[in-house]
Amino acid sequence: MAAGLEPELARQLFEEGAAVVALGVPEGTEFGIDCGAWRVGPRFRGLKMVPPGLHFVHCSAGGGAGPRSGLFLSLRRREVRPLRWDAALEALRPLPEGDGEALRENLRELDPFLGPYPYESLKRWVSLSGCLSQAAVERLQPESGLVCAFSEVLPVAAGRHSRDRAEQRLPRFDSECRSYAEGLARLPRMEPRAGTRIRFTELPEQTYPEGATPQEITRHSMDLSYALEKVIEQRYASQPQELLAELQFAFICFLIGNVYDAFEHWKRLLNILCRSEDAIGKYQDLYINLISVLYHQLNEIPADFFVDIVSQDNFLTSTLQVFFSCTCSPAVDGTLRKKAEKFKAHLTKKFKWDFDAEPDDCAPIVVELPEGVQVD
């Protein structure tokens, strides 16, 4: 039974909780679920007493030295979910559901080989995944179902032979390389293997509508509400709140799954959300919940994590500074305004971030106009 739990509670959790059976995991592999991780021993066969709901099971070969991979699992009460180690992928893969039923009948025999779910970290996991549903995960995860820190990439076009490179007008490998940029240009263009890419919503590169005047381009470059509406239209027109599920999915894939591309998506999506002044007045429930999501996410990372080594510019403070200035608008509901003020005070006290200095947005903005557009 699990240490630190009353015997009766532990017994109830064993009977009612789910189990994740992980077969063939090599000794010394780092295995984890949600916010906890351990190096497994020779007797390890999985976890018991797992609370029903959504979880992220992850592993890394070589005791954490290898790249991390993980699976989102939606577990039912008393379900047994069988997984098996894939030596070629160095990852856990699901087994047929029928195998779970067979293992359920022998669960008591497996009990000595199953570790208890780490209940001390359950509150952290729920705070990071509260907006996520099974439907959201199925929409966002790779088609393979496996979230990998480093996805396998393949060249878009052949380029191993000189004739291939000649057809693509690429330099020969044995010709002199005169600069770093030229060296990068010689490399073949790579894309993730089909089915391995996380299916995030495509974020618009252009923040203003086609045919916009110079004045409209400037306005849409300062207030990103148009870009946010384009994002919502793609997937979340009927339920804008679901955008927070994508924000949480990206953060979990970065924080626990070590997926750097997920961190970049999280930053870009957060930037659009925080710099959309008109949308803040329109989607006030969305932004009230956004503050709660950010509160828990920022508790998981060091204060100086977002500081750029070269510029010493903290991406998060500059982004939130704009957000807090937008929530001061009379068009913003008092509930949202008060929650934003409390969040600002919390961040100032905990991280010593200064949100009252003049933001960079007050400086003149240089906007590149589309070809053919002229200022009178």
Side-chain angles (χ1 to χ4, degrees):
M1 293 297 178
L5 291 176
E6 294 293 331
E8 185 59 33
L9 177 58
R11 190 175 300 107
Q12 182 181 356
L13 290 170
F14 176 80
E15 295 293 343
E16 301 299 322
V20 177
V21 177
L23 303 175
V25 181
E27 182 178 357
T29 299
E30 183 186 80
F31 174 92
I33 186 170
D34 303 338
C35 298
W38 319 265
R39 287 192 182 186
V40 305
R43 291 165 52 86
F44 176 79
R45 297 294 183 276
L47 296 176
K48 59 187 176 182
M49 303 162 61
V50 183
L54 190 68
H55 297 279
F56 184 60
V57 174
H58 45 93
C59 57
S60 177
R68 183 170 288 185
S69 61
L71 295 162
F72 282 92
L73 302 179
S74 183
L75 301 174
R76 302 183 301 274
R77 172 176 164 269
R78 304 189 67 188
E79 179 182 2
V80 176
R81 183 66 64 89
L83 307 173
R84 181 175 291 280
W85 180 259
D86 186 319
L89 293 176
E90 293 191 335
L92 285 166
R93 302 296 294 167
L95 287 173
E97 290 188 12
D99 292 3
E101 292 301 319
L103 289 168
R104 178 84 217 175
E105 297 176 3
N106 299 313
L107 194 57
R108 288 199 174 274
E109 286 72 19
L110 275 173
D111 181 50
F113 307 98
L114 301 177
Y117 179 88
Y119 273 82
E120 66 278 3
S121 65
L122 178 60
K123 186 176 180 181
R124 285 177 61 205
W125 169 250
V126 172
S127 69
L128 291 175
S129 61
C131 298
L132 271 178
S133 63
Q134 182 179 0
V137 167
E138 290 176 353
R139 181 172 61 244
L140 294 164
Q141 70 182 356
E143 293 174 359
S144 67
L146 191 65
V147 176
C148 298
F150 300 103
S151 298
E152 182 182 358
V153 294
L154 299 172
V156 175
R160 293 180 58 191
H161 304 291
S162 297
R163 63 177 180 274
D164 299 323
R165 300 181 64 80
E167 290 173 1
Q168 300 170 50
R169 298 185 178 179
L170 295 173
R172 290 171 54 91
F173 282 118
D174 56 358
S175 62
E176 183 181 355
C177 184
R178 290 166 291 186
S179 69
Y180 177 72
E182 183 180 331
L184 289 178
R186 294 186 181 198
L187 297 175
R189 190 160 62 89
M190 310 292 282
E191 286 187 354
R193 180 185 287 276
T196 64
R197 188 198 299 267
I198 298 176
R199 293 173 290 176
F200 288 128
T201 302
E202 185 176 348
L203 303 182
E205 296 291 340
Q206 180 173 300
T207 62
Y208 50 85
E210 293 292 341
T213 65
Q215 291 82 0
E216 289 172 336
I217 292 173
T218 299
R219 177 165 61 85
H220 288 304
S221 298
M222 296 177 66
D223 180 351
L224 302 183
S225 296
Y226 172 81
L228 179 59
E229 292 287 2
K230 299 299 287 184
V231 173
I232 291 174
E233 286 173 11
Q234 287 186 60
R235 283 180 167 173
Y236 307 117
S238 61
Q239 195 67 26
Q241 292 278 344
E242 282 292 296
L243 198 57
L244 299 182
E246 182 163 340
L247 196 71
Q248 284 193 333
F249 186 91
F251 191 81
I252 290 168
C253 288
F254 161 65
L255 181 72
I256 303 176
N258 296 343
V259 182
Y260 182 75
D261 285 347
F263 175 56
E264 288 298 313
H265 184 79
W266 180 85
K267 286 203 308 182
R268 291 186 61 208
L269 182 55
L270 183 61
N271 183 64
I272 292 175
L273 281 164
C274 289
R275 296 177 183 270
S276 298
E277 184 172 2
D278 287 348
I280 290 173
K282 180 179 178 181
Y283 300 107
Q284 300 201 40
D285 288 343
L286 168 68
Y287 281 92
I288 287 173
N289 292 326
L290 171 65
I291 292 174
S292 298
V293 167
L294 284 177
Y295 173 84
H296 293 296
Q297 289 181 343
L298 298 188
N299 281 339
E300 296 292 329
I301 44 186
D304 60 350
F305 179 83
F306 295 97
V307 178
D308 185 275
I309 297 173
V310 178
S311 68
Q312 293 299 299
D313 172 50
N314 187 321
F315 149 79
L316 200 56
T317 54
S318 60
T319 301
L320 289 176
Q321 189 174 35
V322 176
F323 174 64
F324 291 138
S325 68
C326 292
T327 56
C328 294
S329 167
V332 172
D333 178 76
T335 302
L336 172 56
R337 188 161 57 247
K338 289 178 182 177
K339 188 163 187 176
E341 289 171 356
K342 287 183 178 180
F343 185 44
K344 177 182 175 182
H346 164 74
L347 294 176
T348 301
K349 180 179 179 181
K350 180 170 183 177
F351 297 115
K352 305 298 186 290
W353 290 343
D354 182 9
F355 296 106
D356 295 322
E358 182 177 284
D360 293 338
D361 301 70
C362 292
I365 296 179
V366 179
V367 180
E368 290 188 12
L369 301 180
E371 187 177 349
V373 175
Q374 297 180 349
V375 180
D376 295 332

